[in-house]
Amino acid sequence: MSTTALLLIDNQLGFRDVTAWGTGASNPDFEKNVTALIAAFRDACAEKPDGQRPLIIHVQYRPVWTDHPLHVSKVGPFGANGEQDVAPQPPPDEIIMTSHGHSVFINTPLESILKKRGIKTLLIAGMATDLAVSTAVRTAQNLALTGKWGGRGNMRGEDGLAVDMARIILIGDATRAFGKAGVDAQTIHNVHVESLRDFAEVRSTTEVIGAFH
């Protein structure tokens, strides 16, 4: 289990202001499922000795543009500090990192953390399904395929092509999208989750939590 990591993307107070992001939000069980995942991973950490615990990584989106709804100067319906994580203050062994764009791999230590910690299974959840989550899944798969983390990747040897790469799992019902351009949020969510099956396994929250038992 020490080679397993949960990547929570942009699970922040400001994203609960749906009007700032689109016309409605998908997946009404998003909050419940993310809360259950965090609890399951933290329980697993509490039960395992040091060196055998799964890793939890929180990524917070902090834009530099002052007119952005998540800029630190904004005060919305969730009050000040909308850029902060929804989850209670994480324990010291959980990692919190900041991103300034839609890719959680650009200008962050994420890739090096996955490599140094020997992560072989990466589970991804958060917001928005069609933006930062989609970019994370695709980038994680591309980097794993080229041997940047999780194994040697896609290799060609004397006996032909061999693959030694990490397992990437998108927790489909622990992500959320927002409606846009006349398309409802759930349709956007469903289409993007389905498209990401070419880059990752798609599992439910229930399946992931069940794997702990």
Side-chain angles (χ1 to χ4, degrees):
M1 189 166 286
S2 62
T3 59
T4 298
L6 173 64
L7 177 63
L8 289 169
I9 301 173
D10 301 348
N11 184 39
Q12 295 163 247
L13 289 170
F15 277 101
R16 307 307 163 88
D17 179 7
V18 175
T19 60
W21 307 107
T23 53
S26 70
N27 188 11
D29 290 332
F30 172 78
E31 288 91 349
K32 180 185 74 173
N33 290 339
V34 169
T35 299
L37 285 166
I38 293 173
F41 266 76
R42 288 180 176 172
D43 286 347
C45 288
E47 295 167 358
K48 299 289 183 180
D50 191 22
Q52 297 182 25
R53 298 168 183 161
L55 178 64
I56 302 178
I57 304 171
H58 304 263
V59 180
Q60 297 177 339
Y61 180 41
R62 298 204 176 192
V64 297
W65 303 279
T66 57
D67 61 344
H68 193 282
L70 278 184
H71 191 267
V72 293
S73 65
K74 298 297 181 183
V75 178
F78 293 95
N81 304 316
E83 79 283 359
Q84 292 186 1
D85 201 86
V86 173
Q89 183 62 35
D93 56 347
E94 295 180 18
I95 295 174
I96 302 177
M97 65 179 65
T98 298
S99 72
H100 300 290
H102 290 311
S103 176
V104 297
F105 282 93
I106 300 299
N107 294 325
T108 75
L110 180 56
E111 181 183 337
S112 63
I113 288 172
L114 297 179
K115 186 173 183 178
K116 289 177 181 178
R117 294 289 294 261
I119 299 302
K120 296 290 187 180
T121 302
L122 179 64
L123 299 104
I124 300 176
M127 296 181 277
T129 315
D130 55 322
L131 296 174
V133 171
S134 177
T135 304
V137 170
R138 294 166 188 265
T139 305
Q141 196 265 0
N142 288 338
L143 291 172
L145 195 61
T146 54
K148 301 297 184 182
W149 71 278
R152 292 178 292 171
N154 190 334
M155 306 164 292
R156 185 172 294 280
E158 294 180 359
D159 298 327
L161 194 64
V163 177
D164 171 26
M165 61 180 287
R167 185 182 182 190
I168 301 166
I169 300 173
L170 172 65
I171 310 174
D173 62 358
T175 72
R176 168 168 282 174
F178 302 94
K180 61 184 70 174
V183 182
D184 69 274
Q186 194 61 49
T187 297
I188 291 173
H189 176 104
N190 293 344
V191 168
H192 280 272
V193 168
E194 192 64 29
S195 296
L196 290 171
R197 291 183 186 274
D198 286 338
F199 299 87
E201 299 175 44
V202 176
R203 303 293 181 187
S204 68
T205 298
T206 300
E207 289 177 305
V208 171
I209 293 176
F212 281 100
H213 304 292

